[in-house]
Amino acid sequence: MIDKVDISEKMSLFNEYWSPKIVGELNNSYVKVAKLKGEFIWHSHENEDELFWIVKGTLLIKFRDKDVLLKAGEFLIIPKGVEHLPVAEEEVEVVLIEPKSTLNTGDIISDRTVENPIKI
Amino acid sequence: MIDKVDISEKMSLFNEYWSPKIVGELNNSYVKVAKLKGEFIWHSHENEDELFWIVKGTLLIKFRDKDVLLKAGEFLIIPKGVEHLPVAEEEVEVVLIEPKSTLNTGDIISDRTVENPIKI
């Protein structure tokens, strides 16, 4: 089935934070949507580059040597192996594109880990 | 270098149609931006799934058995091997995500083919 995805519509289907949902797949990667609020945890993805695309709101991504502030209409690609900490002062809506093997908490297993993201 | 990309800013850097520009890379894929207007050519990508994300305007994607009309904030993933024809009645701004090996005209080589997209 080839069907378009309306990102706003997908965002309306859930409210929980830090729990990415799968909305598409291509070339062994997933497209995910997520709502973020508050501070996540420092982590890195050993083998996966990760794209954050801001749909609504503002997201700070901290690195060990700098911070990057992302607004709606901007994206950032975090290369594999690079430690990062997403911080959302207010609610932010993001699209993530990353290999299917990507765990949200990367090299860290914690109560923030989502082992099997659902498709919506 | 880890730097954010402002999609609107990238769109302001060029005016030509049907000439995707590279604005990011991750996991052996490129993120590209393009402006489209008019009708492209029927083609398919033998080995690559392709994501079209509409930033501005409206894009019709024709398939052999149906049409899909995409608006800003919507995306469509075209699976490998599926023939498609993008048609933009008015100018549309899109983001494409596809493997680095992807040729814009897929299995067809024509005067619409862009062999080496530039980075902007």
Side-chain angles (χ1 to χ4, degrees):
Chain A
M1 279 298 291
I2 301 177
D3 276 324
K4 69 177 181 179
V5 173
D6 178 335
I7 294 159
S8 295
E9 191 259 328
K10 294 296 187 189
M11 292 290 183
S12 74
L13 300 179
F14 66 99
N15 289 306
E16 65 270 42
Y17 297 124
W18 306 107
S19 181
K21 317 294 185 198
I22 297 165
V23 294
E25 56 183 287
L26 75 163
N27 305 309
N28 215 32
S29 286
Y30 283 133
V31 181
K32 298 173 185 170
V33 293
K35 293 181 180 178
L36 314 179
K37 189 174 180 184
E39 184 168 309
F40 201 51
I41 58 171
W42 280 103
H43 68 283
S44 63
H45 306 280
E46 189 180 352
N47 299 307
E48 300 101 348
D49 305 325
E50 183 175 40
L51 183 148
F52 280 78
W53 181 320
I54 310 304
V55 172
K56 195 169 168 183
T58 300
L59 180 65
L60 182 68
I61 298 191
K62 289 176 164 276
F63 296 96
R64 292 300 187 186
D65 62 347
K66 69 171 177 179
D67 296 347
V68 177
L69 188 66
L70 295 171
K71 301 189 302 284
E74 296 177 341
F75 72 80
L76 183 68
I77 293 168
I78 299 171
K80 61 189 78 168
V82 175
E83 276 189 298
H84 57 285
L85 170 65
V87 181
E89 198 168 316
E90 302 293 336
E91 178 177 295
V92 54
E93 295 180 356
V94 300
V95 169
L96 305 169
I97 299 176
E98 54 196 15
K100 292 183 180 176
S101 56
T102 309
L103 205 57
N104 66 325
T105 53
D107 57 327
I108 309 292
I109 301 298
S110 82
D111 58 357
R112 312 297 289 271
T113 303
V114 177
E115 297 273 5
N116 296 107
I118 62 167
K119 296 190 189 196
I120 61 173
Chain B
M1 277 300 290
I2 301 177
D3 275 324
K4 69 178 181 178
V5 173
D6 179 334
I7 294 159
S8 295
E9 190 260 328
K10 294 297 186 189
M11 292 290 183
S12 74
L13 299 179
F14 65 100
N15 289 306
E16 65 270 41
Y17 297 123
W18 306 107
S19 182
K21 317 294 185 199
I22 297 165
V23 295
E25 57 183 287
L26 75 163
N27 306 308
N28 214 33
S29 285
Y30 283 133
V31 182
K32 299 174 184 169
V33 294
K35 293 181 180 178
L36 315 179
K37 189 173 179 184
E39 184 168 309
F40 201 51
I41 58 170
W42 280 103
H43 68 284
S44 62
H45 305 280
E46 188 180 354
N47 298 307
E48 301 99 350
D49 305 325
E50 182 175 42
L51 184 148
F52 281 78
W53 180 321
I54 311 304
V55 173
K56 196 169 167 184
T58 300
L59 180 65
L60 182 68
I61 298 192
K62 288 175 164 276
F63 297 95
R64 292 300 186 185
D65 61 347
K66 69 171 178 179
D67 296 347
V68 177
L69 187 66
L70 295 171
K71 301 189 301 284
E74 296 177 340
F75 72 79
L76 182 69
I77 294 167
I78 298 171
K80 61 189 76 166
V82 175
E83 277 189 298
H84 57 284
L85 171 64
V87 181
E89 198 167 317
E90 302 293 336
E91 178 178 295
V92 54
E93 295 181 355
V94 300
V95 169
L96 304 169
I97 300 175
E98 54 196 15
K100 291 182 182 178
S101 56
T102 308
L103 205 58
N104 66 325
T105 53
D107 56 327
I108 309 292
I109 301 298
S110 83
D111 58 357
R112 312 297 289 271
T113 303
V114 178
E115 297 272 6
N116 295 107
I118 62 167
K119 296 190 191 198
I120 61 172

